[in-house]
Each structure stands twice: as C-alpha cells, then as structure tokens.
C-alpha cells in the first residue's frame, strides 16, 4: 500500500490512555494482530476534558498527553476524546483518529502504522514511486512503436521523449518532459518579450533601438537571445544532434538547424558587420540581425510542445477512467462476521466481500447472499441495470445500485475482467494501422527533402532575389526549415488509435489492434454464427424423448435418459450442455461422475457414466461412431424424421446413445436475441451482406434466418467448414468479418479479415478475435462498425491535414508568393504554423471522444 502522508518522525503511535472516556486503550502493540474492527463512536461523558486538538509539531508528547487525549496513529495529531471522533478496535485495543480518512487508512493496513520500521519502508517506497517509474518500466515512443528501452529517454527515430509503456500513470505526477519544457518556457518568455519589443518596437510606435542607438540595441538583443538559445533551446539542439548521429533526421533536425542558422547569422552580423557586403550595411555600419526570430521560434515551439504534451495526455483518459472504476479497498468479512476494510491487493479468491448500495464491486465474483441491480455500463455501454441474485456473476468495477449483498471473490488482481480489458486497451493503443505505412514512407524521405527545398530557396533568393539578397535567402531558408513538421505526419495515426481504442472500451467494444479497426471499417460481408450470437446462447430443454429400451442398456425412462446425458454434459461448456444440466437440476436428479470425456467440436461428445459409454451429438456424429438404432421398429430413419420435425419448430435436436445404441432425443430451444433484427437491419443499410454459418440443423437454421431476414444460410457446418466458407468468400474479393462466440468459431474468427467475438463467449473465441464485444447484445456490432468507420475517417483527415499543411505552406515559406504579392513568411510565423499543425492533428483525434455509439 502506497501513501502520500510524510513519514511520522515520532518513535511510534500511542493508543488512547485509560481514563475518563473509558476506552481503556493500552500502548500500541509491537506484534501484528489479526483483525481490525471499526466501531461506532460513542460520545464520552460530559465531564471529560475539552483539551485542544494538537499535534506533535505543536509540542504534544504522546507519553505525557492527558487521559482525555489520544494520538492518531496515522497522522500523529492529538485527538480530543470529548469530541465525536472515529475510532477503530484492533487486537483488543481502541485507536482514535482525527477524521474518517485516517481511520480508513489505518483499518486497511494497521501494521504499517503500528510498526515504525514498516511505515518508514512504505513511505520511502511511496516517495520513490512518486518520483520515478519502477526500474523495470519500459519506455516507448508513441510515434515509433518499435522504439522502446528500459527507463526514460528520447526516441532515436523521431526525437520525441519516450513515455512509460503499459497502463497510463505508470509514472505518477506530471510528464517530466512537460515539467522541463515549462521551466524552459518561463525563461524564454522572460527574455523574448523585451527582445521583441526592442527589435520590433519601431513598428508599433516605440522605437527603442533609435533611442539607444543601433549598435547598442544589437548588443542588448544578443544578451537577451543568448539564454533563450543556450538554455531554453538546449533540448532542441541535443535532439537535432542525436538525429544526425543516429542517421534519422526528424523535426528536431529542422528546428535545430533553423534556430542555429538564424542565431549564428545574427551573431556574426552583430559582432563583425564588416564581413558583409556594402549592400547589406546600414548607416552607422550595422547589418540587420534576427535574434528575435531565433528567440521567438524557440518560444513558440516550446508553447506548441507543451500544448501537444497536454493534449497527448488526454488520449489516456479512457484507460484512467477504467482504472478509477475499481475501488481501492473492499469490506472483507471475517469468519466471526465482522468486517475489515482492506486494500484491493489483499483480496484473495474465496474471500467474502460485502458490497453496499452505491459502491463499486471490488473484484470479479459471484453473489452468495442478497440481491441487487448492477450498472454494467462500464463493460457493455448499456445503462440499464442488470438484476443479480444468488450464484450470479458480478464483475469488478461495475456499480451496485440498490441492494446490499455478499459476494465471493473468484478472480483478483490482473485476472479480473477489468484488469484484462485495461491491459488489452493499453496494448491496442500502441498498435500501428496499415494506413500509417504510406505516411511512414513519406516521413522517411521528408526531412531530407525539406533540407533540399531549404537549400534551393536559399540559392534562389541569393541569385535572383532583391537586395539584401543574403538576408532574404537566410529568412526563406529558415522559414522552410521551421515550418516543415513531420511530427504531424507521425502523429496522424497513433493519436487516433489511442483515442479510438479508449472510446471503444467505454462502450463495450474491445479492440485488439489498429489493424482490426481498419479491417472492420472495410467489411462488405459479415458471416455470423447462430447459437450464442444471433440467439441468446441460453437454450432451455423443451423435449425429452426416450426411444425405447432393451436388455443391453436398461434405459427405460425419460428421467434416466436425462440423468445420464446431464452427467456427461456436466464436463462440457457448450450452451446446450447448460440447458440439459439446468433441466436435470430443476427435476432434482442426482448426477453421476463422468470420465474419459472426449469432445468433438461442432459434432458431439462421448464419455463413460456409471459404466455405460454415453455419446451425445448429431446423427452424423453417431453414425461416424458406428452407433445403431435400438432393436425394434424404430430405426435411424425414424430418428432422422423426428429430428427434422423438431428442427421445423426451431428446436435443436440432440441424440443420445447408450452403449452403441440410440436411446433418445433431447430437444432444446434458443430464443433469438431481441436486438438481433434491428442490428442486422442497420448493418444492411451500410451495404454489408449477412451470412449465417452454423453447426445446427438446416431446418432450425432456416427458421431462425427467416425471422431475421437472412437469405444466405450455411448449416450443419463443422469448425473447419466455417473457416472454409470464410476463405471462399475472401477468394471472391469480399472483405469478410466473422462474428461468433464458441470454441468451434475460433478457426473462422482467425481466418476472417476481422473476427468479432461476443463477450459472453469462450476465451478461445475472444483470443482469436480482433474485436471483442463485452456485451453479447448484437447492437454492439453496430457500435463497433461505427467506431471503425469513424476511426478510419479520422486517420484520413489527419493525414490530409498533415500532407496538405506541408504541401501548401512549404512553398509559401520558400517565397513563391513574393513575386506576385510581395509576401514572404517570417520565421516567427513559420514556428507558430508548425506548432499549430501538430495541435490540429491531435485536436481532430480527440474529437473521437465525442463520438456517439448507440
């Protein structure tokens, strides 16, 4: 547990002394004690003293405190026991606190505050955590994903400061680069303001240079510009030099070169004006200088970088929101029924936790007492609360709205749903979209090309420009160097991906990488599974048909048929298995242990129950296994007929064989999801063709397809058949998405251009998918597609802004408008435009946060 309270200089805490308030607390124990129990504070007797609330800093000594005062073991304040202050019982002693916050912190980890050595170590660790990242933290570049290293530094490719990888706020506090640039901006602003007034004052009616003389004015300008260039611009020069050394020219190469040229030219002009031709010399022997241009460039670039860094921090807001959803402590129930408020890190699987109305669920688990309505919008994007009762699963970070309940923790720490979501979003935010490849190719040649343009501009003005030619040549070359900003090109995709993945996570759309988003936006065909995707995935048993009995199997009743089938299905995770198990429980059947279970995905399963070989699955599976019909008039043809009749009623028929004989049929029905028809209709308006692919019976599949308006149906498919269908569609030039939820969908999910796993599905399906819908509601498909299209459009806009900016303003900076309009862009305006280009890209990316996903 980390803490922000400075270490207490006193030797240790002291509990309330026995006295007028009757709490009889002894001095703090030296050994840990097992439990902490918050108490309801009772007001002391009226005769108790009304002593002051003092701390050790005020001279209070715990050893000599009067009996009506106690020392808060957390903050060290003296607590007046005559006032109604919180108190906590621990190890048969009572400790008093100045406020509820201190009481809660003590209850969460009492030994920290009772053991001076442990407290000192914890405070030191907390201070270290605040000051720096953990030693094993990897730092990476937001623009160059392949650039990472242990510890902070600068990207060798683009020169951008590296950021801690993984979850945001890995380094608590402000970005160190932002802090450093702020300090440098203060210095730059202090010296640049009078410098600009001195150099440009004549244009606004304050001719300071004329009052003090040109030579004196230039000397003062040099002194004012020197700290700006030497101190404030130092990171620019360091990164520019590093870019040349690493053979990766970038924006800092251009900025460093531009500032250096402007300052060096002005320095020579101020100190040795005689070196310049007479055409450039004014009355008094002076030559024009551009110290103010160099200083203003540095100042404006710093302003732009600070605004950019602050804007970039906002891209992590979505993950921070998710992190903040998890409470920091939980109320753990002790064996004796008492509650202890403990930090989340202390929770273990199996712990019983109490959750009251208005509190966030601390971790994943299941209800064991009580009932409530849970707001799961952080997972699903749906605001309607979900009713929960005994044995229902609850997810850490969701909000308990009404009732109080007790839950048993099942998954804690990094294994919780929320932690895994955060981790996946963090990884996705660093992924690279294929669309970025074109920008990367341009950026690779961009800086050298800008250098060539600057050189040509310099030569053009020097040869063909008006007098003073050298001054014009330098101004145009510096403007070209400064205004060209490859940073905007590099940020175009990463910023959008970071915002989009976070926005999706808040609406129940979990993105594996940027490539998945780009592929989803392009799909024209969606192949979709039936069971668990189009249907609710919670089928119920509707029919139990025993086909007869013989001496070999001793199967004589529907009850025994169901009991044996449920015993084997208890080892399966298939939705049909859940329906069979639920029906057996409802009838109070006693199940037997099953062994040697083998599942054949998409077909069936087999195993041993009570000495019988039990097979459950399709007719094709039983034939493949060599199963025959029971002796008598009912043959396999009749079984097939009964199966078709059930399928026509939208029921899925499952055959049960006992010891190589067909013994009966179990029929289950799975209701269509209420949102399915609306979601599929919306996707069709976006010119996406819907194709059903299912392992279910063709008649059942056709019945569901008719209700949903699906005209292409492929039924009775094995897992490899679904994958083959996707591959065939791809070979015809279709861009294919596949949506499913089961183990048998994993191959097809991987085969499609983009796989979409329903949140209620298996881990195998989710791992195979590029997009995961945390809610099984099919409207999530519409939300995901909306997000994907908006993301791609945003990236295209960013690239257009970056390319368009450079295409238009670099020629202007070079002076193409001067012959016709007499316009020449100053280096100062070039610096402002350069900063605005990056900010425009970031602002456009952040606009995705306002995207409405219905």
């Amino acid at each position: 547990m980390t803490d922000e309270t400075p270490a207490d200089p006193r030797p240790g805490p002291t509990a309330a002394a026995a006295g007028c308030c009757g709490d009889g607390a002894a001095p703090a124990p030296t050994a840990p004690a097992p439990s902490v129990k918050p108490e309801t504070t009772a007001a002391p007797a009226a005769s108790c003293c009304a002593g002051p609330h003092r701390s050790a800093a005020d001279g209070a000594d715990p050893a000599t405190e009067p009996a009506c005062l106690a020392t808060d073991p957390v903050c060290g304040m003296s607590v007046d026991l005559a006032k109604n202050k919180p108190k906590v019982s621990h190890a048969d002693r009572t400790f008093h606190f100045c406020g509820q916050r201190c009481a809660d912190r003590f209850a969460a980890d009492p030994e920290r505050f009772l053991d001076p050595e442990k407290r000192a170590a914890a405070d030191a660790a907390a201070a270290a955590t605040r000051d720096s990242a953990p030693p094993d933290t990897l730092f990476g570049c937001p623009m160059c994903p392949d650039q990472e290293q242990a510890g902070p530094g600068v990207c060798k490719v683009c020169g951008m400061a590296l950021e801690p990888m993984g979850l945001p706020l890995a380094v608590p506090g402000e970005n160190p680069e932002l802090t450093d640039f702020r300090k440098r901006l203060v210095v730059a602003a202090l010296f640049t303001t009078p410098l600009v007034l001195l150099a440009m004052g004549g244009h606004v009616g304050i001719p300071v240079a004329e009052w003090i003389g040109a030579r004196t004015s230039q000397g003062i300008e040099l002194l004012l510009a020197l700290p700006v260039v030497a101190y404030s611009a130092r990171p620019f020069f360091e990164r520019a030099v590093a870019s040349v050394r690493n053979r990766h020219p970038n924006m800092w190469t251009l900025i460093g070169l531009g500032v250096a040229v402007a300052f060096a030219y002005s320095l020579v002009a101020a100190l040795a004006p005689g070196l310049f031709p007479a055409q450039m010399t004014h009355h008094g022997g002076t030559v024009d200088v551009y110290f103010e241009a160099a200083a203003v460039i540095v100042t404006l670039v710093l302003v732009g970088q600070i605004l950019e860094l602050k804007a970039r921090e906002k891209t992590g807001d979505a993950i921070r929101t998710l992190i903040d959803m998890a409470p920091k402590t939980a109320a753990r129930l002790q064996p004796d029924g008492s509650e202890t408020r403990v930090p989340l890190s202390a929770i273990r699987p199996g712990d019983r936790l109490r959750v009251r109305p208005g509190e966030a669920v601390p971790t994943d688990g299941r209800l064991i007492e009580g009932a409530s309505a849970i707001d799961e919008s952080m997972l699903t994007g749906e605001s309607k609360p979900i009713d929960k009762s005994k044995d229902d699963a609850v997810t850490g970070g969701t909000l308990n709205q009404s009732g109080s309940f007790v839950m048993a923790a099942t998954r804690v720490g990094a294994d919780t749903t929320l932690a895994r979501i955060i981790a996946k979003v963090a990884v996705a935010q660093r992924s690279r979209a294929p669309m970025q490849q074109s920008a990367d190719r341009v950026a690779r040649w961009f800086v050298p090309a800008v250098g060539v343009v600057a050189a040509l501009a310099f030569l053009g003005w020097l040869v063909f420009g008006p007098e003073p030619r050298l001054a014009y040549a330098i101004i145009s070359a510096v403007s070209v160097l400064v205004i060209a900003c490859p940073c905007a090109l590099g940020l175009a995709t990463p910023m959008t991906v970071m915002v989009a993945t976070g926005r999706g996570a808040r609406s129940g759309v979990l993105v594996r990488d940027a490539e998945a988003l780009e592929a989803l936006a392009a799909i024209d065909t969606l192949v979709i599974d039936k069971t668990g995707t189009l249907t609710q995935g919670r089928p119920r048993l509707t029919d139990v048909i025993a086909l007869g009995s013989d001496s070999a199997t001793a199967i004589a009743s529907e009850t025994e048929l169901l009991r044996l089938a449920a015993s084997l299905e208890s080892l399966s995770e298939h939705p049909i298995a859940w329906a069979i198990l639920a029906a057996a429980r409802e009838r109070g059947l006693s199940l037997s242990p099953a062994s040697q279970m083998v599942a054949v995905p998409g077909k069936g399963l087999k195993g041993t129950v009570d000495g019988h070989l039990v097979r459950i699955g399709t007719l094709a599976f039983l034939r493949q296994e060599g199963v025959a019909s029971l002796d008598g008039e009912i043959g396999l043809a009749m079984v097939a007929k009964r199966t078709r009749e059930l399928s026509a009623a939208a029921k899925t028929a499952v055959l049960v064989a006992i010891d190589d004989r067909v013994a009966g049929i179990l029929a289950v029905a799975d209701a269509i999801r209420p949102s399915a028809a609306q979601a599929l209709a919306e996707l069709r308006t976006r010119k996406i063709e819907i194709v059903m692919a299912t392992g279910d019976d063709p008649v059942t599949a056709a019945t569901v397809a008719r209700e949903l308006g699906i005209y292409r149906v492929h039924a009775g498919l094995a897992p490899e058949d679904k994958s083959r269908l996707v591959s065939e569609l791809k070979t015809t030039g279709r861009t294919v998405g596949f949506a499913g939820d089961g183990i048998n969908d994993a191959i097809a999910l991987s085969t499609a251009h983009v796989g979409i796993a329903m949140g209620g599905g298996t881990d195998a399906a989710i791992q195979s998918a590029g997009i995961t819908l945390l809610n099984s509601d099919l409207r999530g498909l519409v939300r995901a597609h909306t997000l994907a299209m908006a993301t791609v459009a945003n990236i295209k806009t960013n690239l257009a802004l970056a390319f368009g900016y450079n295409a238009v303003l670099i020629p202007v900076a070079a002076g193409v408008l001067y012959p016709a309009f007499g316009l020449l862009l100053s280096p100062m305006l070039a610096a402002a435009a350069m900063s605005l280009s990056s900010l425009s890209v970031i602002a456009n990316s952040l606009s995705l946060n306002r995207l409405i996903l219905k």
Side-chain angles (χ1 to χ4, degrees), residues 430-720:
R430 295 190 56 78
S431 62
R432 206 102 162 131
M435 198 180 298
Q436 180 69 17
Q437 294 175 359
S438 58
D440 291 341
R441 286 193 293 269
V442 172
R444 192 175 300 119
W445 296 100
F446 185 81
V447 175
V450 169
V452 171
V453 172
L456 291 175
F458 179 85
L459 293 174
W461 280 96
L462 194 62
V463 174
F464 303 107
E467 296 294 346
R469 294 179 180 179
L470 181 59
Y472 278 121
I474 290 175
I475 289 174
S476 63
V478 170
S479 295
V480 169
L481 290 172
V482 172
I483 203 169
C485 183
C487 183
L489 283 175
L491 289 172
T493 294
M495 291 297 106
T496 297
V497 171
M498 291 181 75
V499 177
T501 50
R503 178 67 187 90
R506 296 204 311 270
S507 296
V509 178
L510 191 57
V511 180
R512 185 178 65 189
D513 52 36
E515 185 176 357
L517 273 177
E518 191 171 325
L520 180 58
I523 66 168
D524 52 31
T525 304
L526 177 64
V527 182
I528 189 164
D529 177 49
K530 181 182 76 70
T531 305
T533 306
L534 292 173
T535 60
Q536 293 182 356
R538 294 191 301 271
R540 59 184 181 85
L541 189 69
T542 58
D543 300 89
V544 180
I545 305 171
L547 297 179
S549 64
D550 67 9
S551 58
T553 61
I555 302 300
S557 68
E558 295 178 354
T559 299
E560 184 66 6
L561 178 70
L562 177 58
R563 190 188 72 82
L564 289 174
S567 297
L568 180 58
E569 293 284 15
S570 65
L571 301 178
S572 173
E573 295 183 356
H574 196 280
I576 291 178
W578 301 340
I580 294 172
L581 280 170
R585 291 193 184 102
E586 288 174 4
R587 302 187 187 192
L589 301 184
S590 178
L591 304 185
S592 299
S595 61
Q596 300 178 338
M597 194 273 278
V598 176
V600 182
K603 295 182 178 180
L605 71 162
K606 58 184 176 179
T608 302
V609 181
D610 290 343
H612 297 291
L613 176 59
V614 181
R615 293 182 177 91
I616 304 174
T618 64
L619 182 59
F621 171 64
L622 296 188
R623 280 177 171 157
Q624 178 183 318
E625 289 287 312
V627 174
S629 67
L630 283 171
D631 295 337
E633 59 180 315
I634 301 178
L636 291 179
M638 182 61 70
V639 172
K641 180 183 177 184
R642 296 291 296 273
T643 300
R644 287 193 296 271
E645 292 171 351
L646 292 168
S647 298
K651 297 178 181 179
T652 299
V654 179
L655 304 183
V656 181
I658 309 296
D659 294 333
D660 299 327
R661 298 286 184 176
V662 178
I665 303 174
L666 303 178
V668 298
D670 189 6
I672 295 174
R673 293 187 183 278
S675 61
Q678 177 187 350
L680 296 184
E682 174 62 29
L683 292 174
R684 288 191 197 94
T685 64
R686 302 180 184 187
K687 303 188 184 305
I688 297 175
E689 182 180 8
I690 310 298
V691 179
M692 180 193 290
T694 178
D696 208 344
D697 177 84
V699 180
T700 304
T703 302
V704 173
R706 278 195 303 271
E707 291 190 37
L708 295 175
I710 300 175
Y711 302 105
R712 293 188 62 179
V713 180
H714 297 264
L717 301 184
E720 56 272 18

Side-chain angles (χ1 to χ4, degrees), residues 247-547:
R247 299 181 182 178
H248 284 291
N250 51 51
M251 65 172 288
W252 300 110
T253 316
L254 303 178
I255 293 173
L257 185 59
V259 173
V261 168
F263 183 80
Y265 165 81
S266 302
L267 182 64
V268 174
L271 299 181
L275 297 177
F276 291 83
Q279 296 93 330
M280 298 181 64
T281 305
H282 297 290
H283 179 72
T286 60
V287 177
D288 287 333
V289 294
Y290 300 97
F291 290 119
E292 83 285 356
V296 170
I297 289 172
V298 173
T299 304
L300 290 177
V301 171
L302 282 171
V303 170
Q305 286 297 298
I306 288 171
L307 292 175
E308 180 181 320
L309 287 168
K310 290 174 68 68
R312 271 164 44 195
E313 284 188 345
K314 293 182 180 297
T315 60
D317 284 351
I319 298 187
R320 293 186 188 96
T321 300
L322 291 173
I323 292 174
D324 291 341
M325 288 177 178
K328 304 301 181 286
T329 61
R332 182 167 61 189
L333 294 179
Q334 302 298 334
D336 62 359
S338 63
E339 292 183 21
T340 304
R341 182 63 63 171
V342 298
L344 219 58
S345 59
I347 300 298
R348 297 292 179 265
D351 284 354
R352 294 185 305 141
L353 311 173
R354 183 178 297 282
V355 184
R356 293 179 171 82
E359 293 182 342
V361 178
T363 188
D364 292 0
R366 61 181 179 83
L367 265 69
I368 56 178
E369 293 179 19
S372 185
I374 306 292
D375 178 359
E376 295 185 339
S377 58
M378 53 80 66
L379 282 178
T380 65
E382 296 292 334
S383 58
K384 183 179 179 181
I386 307 298
D387 291 332
K388 300 286 184 178
S389 56
K390 187 176 180 180
D391 291 331
D392 284 344
V394 291
T395 304
T398 55
L399 185 64
N400 180 27
Q401 288 200 333
S402 53
S404 176
F405 61 85
V406 176
M407 60 173 284
T410 54
R411 291 191 293 191
V412 300
D415 293 331
T416 63
T417 300
L418 181 59
R420 289 191 294 174
I421 290 171
I422 293 170
K424 288 195 74 170
V425 173
V427 171
Q429 287 190 334
R430 295 190 56 78
S431 62
R432 206 102 162 131
M435 198 180 298
Q436 180 69 17
Q437 294 175 359
S438 58
D440 291 341
R441 286 193 293 269
V442 172
R444 192 175 300 119
W445 296 100
F446 185 81
V447 175
V450 169
V452 171
V453 172
L456 291 175
F458 179 85
L459 293 174
W461 280 96
L462 194 62
V463 174
F464 303 107
E467 296 294 346
R469 294 179 180 179
L470 181 59
Y472 278 121
I474 290 175
I475 289 174
S476 63
V478 170
S479 295
V480 169
L481 290 172
V482 172
I483 203 169
C485 183
C487 183
L489 283 175
L491 289 172
T493 294
M495 291 297 106
T496 297
V497 171
M498 291 181 75
V499 177
T501 50
R503 178 67 187 90
R506 296 204 311 270
S507 296
V509 178
L510 191 57
V511 180
R512 185 178 65 189
D513 52 36
E515 185 176 357
L517 273 177
E518 191 171 325
L520 180 58
I523 66 168
D524 52 31
T525 304
L526 177 64
V527 182
I528 189 164
D529 177 49
K530 181 182 76 70
T531 305
T533 306
L534 292 173
T535 60
Q536 293 182 356
R538 294 191 301 271
R540 59 184 181 85
L541 189 69
T542 58
D543 300 89
V544 180
I545 305 171
L547 297 179

